[in-house]
Amino acid sequence: NTESFLMTNGQIHYFTRTDRVEIAALDMAVADNGDVYVVGEVRPGGDALPPQSILYKNNVECSEYSLERSSFCSIALKENGDIVLAGIHDGYPSVWDGTTRTDLPQVSGANVTQWDISSIEYVNGNEFILGQYTDASKSYTPVVWMNRQLVEVGQMDNKPTATFSGTFTNGTNFKLAGSYEDGDNQKAYEYDSHQQSFTQVPYQWAGSNVSTIYGVLNSSKWNDASN
């Protein structure tokens, strides 16, 4: 039994439904006017059946966004306030402008068994969607959709490479981060699209064989050239 909630200034609001179906909250966004959006999924038929998307605006469910066989993994707000959602429909990567869905381009020649979407971001009219796919050998590879065009990032040293977060750096350049498998070790990395290169991030506890990165952001408060 799990519960999803939104905490605002120390006050917790639990998301519930009259049918008692568990709600998985996956992402949120706050509009300039203070409206708070939370997106995720429910499974009215249990785990054996496909999910159904769900969206809350100021803790009120928006029924027009309850779309079958879909999961909203992330939300972004355009400069004009329009809602854009990224996620999975029927097992494949998709993006929604409001409730209008568009399937994203897929990797050719790969025996993909699962797609995952991590985030969507808008900056200066450019759209950045981050995800990854798993193939039949259970190896995972990060991918990016830049303005809905597929960018194949590849893997760190041709090893299973998971991605958890990414962001624009400048223009249409981006960075992403996560972890990759190196034998029995799980090591943190970052990828810079401008340099088209992976770099191991050497932050690790002494004696530990696991490190990863779950978040990366671009801050105007930092003054170095790379931000």
Side-chain angles (χ1 to χ4, degrees):
N1 295 320
T2 60
E3 292 182 292
S4 290
F5 63 88
L6 176 69
M7 179 185 290
T8 306
N9 298 326
Q11 300 298 311
I12 292 180
H13 170 82
Y14 288 96
F15 295 106
T16 60
R17 284 174 40 128
T18 56
D19 56 10
R20 301 177 65 84
V21 171
E22 292 179 0
I23 299 165
L26 300 177
D27 196 22
M28 65 174 292
V30 181
D32 290 341
N33 64 2
D35 288 339
V36 178
Y37 297 89
V38 176
V39 296
E41 67 179 25
V42 295
R43 292 182 180 267
D47 290 340
L49 296 178
Q52 176 179 299
S53 62
I54 194 166
L55 182 145
Y56 287 90
K57 178 180 179 181
N58 298 328
N59 298 334
V60 177
E61 183 179 349
C62 302
S63 59
E64 67 270 26
Y65 287 89
S66 296
L67 307 175
E68 295 183 354
R69 308 190 314 280
S70 300
S71 175
F72 296 151
C73 304
S74 190
I75 181 172
L77 300 175
K78 292 184 178 180
E79 286 84 349
N80 63 3
D82 288 351
I83 296 172
V84 185
L85 307 156
I88 304 297
H89 173 75
D90 262 348
Y92 297 101
S94 298
V95 61
W96 290 260
D97 294 287
T99 57
T100 301
R101 179 179 56 84
T102 301
D103 292 330
L104 293 169
Q106 299 177 35
V107 176
S108 61
N111 188 3
V112 178
T113 58
Q114 180 176 324
W115 287 96
D116 293 288
I117 297 295
S118 300
S119 63
I120 181 172
E121 183 178 357
Y122 266 89
V123 175
N124 297 326
N126 290 308
E127 180 187 80
F128 170 81
I129 298 176
L130 177 64
Q132 69 179 35
Y133 68 87
T134 306
D135 62 24
S137 65
K138 297 184 179 180
S139 179
Y140 27 92
T141 303
V143 291
V144 164
W145 290 271
M146 183 65 64
N147 296 323
R148 307 196 183 177
Q149 298 300 310
L150 179 66
V151 180
E152 296 190 48
V153 175
Q155 295 179 322
M156 174 79 173
D157 295 337
N158 295 316
K159 297 171 181 175
T161 305
T163 180
F164 300 113
S165 183
T167 188
F168 281 111
T169 50
N170 54 72
T172 57
N173 291 317
F174 59 86
K175 284 190 177 183
L176 56 87
S179 64
Y180 71 99
E181 295 182 9
D182 183 15
D184 293 331
N185 298 304
Q186 180 177 308
K187 297 180 179 179
Y189 77 89
E190 71 170 8
Y191 174 85
D192 187 327
S193 70
H194 181 67
Q195 300 176 354
Q196 296 187 351
S197 63
F198 286 89
T199 304
Q200 181 192 348
V201 179
Y203 301 144
Q204 198 150 340
W205 286 102
S208 170
N209 67 336
V210 176
S211 63
T212 190
I213 297 173
Y214 287 111
V216 56
L217 59 87
N218 191 337
S219 173
S220 60
K221 296 179 181 180
W222 301 337
N223 295 320
D224 63 307
S226 65
N227 283 335

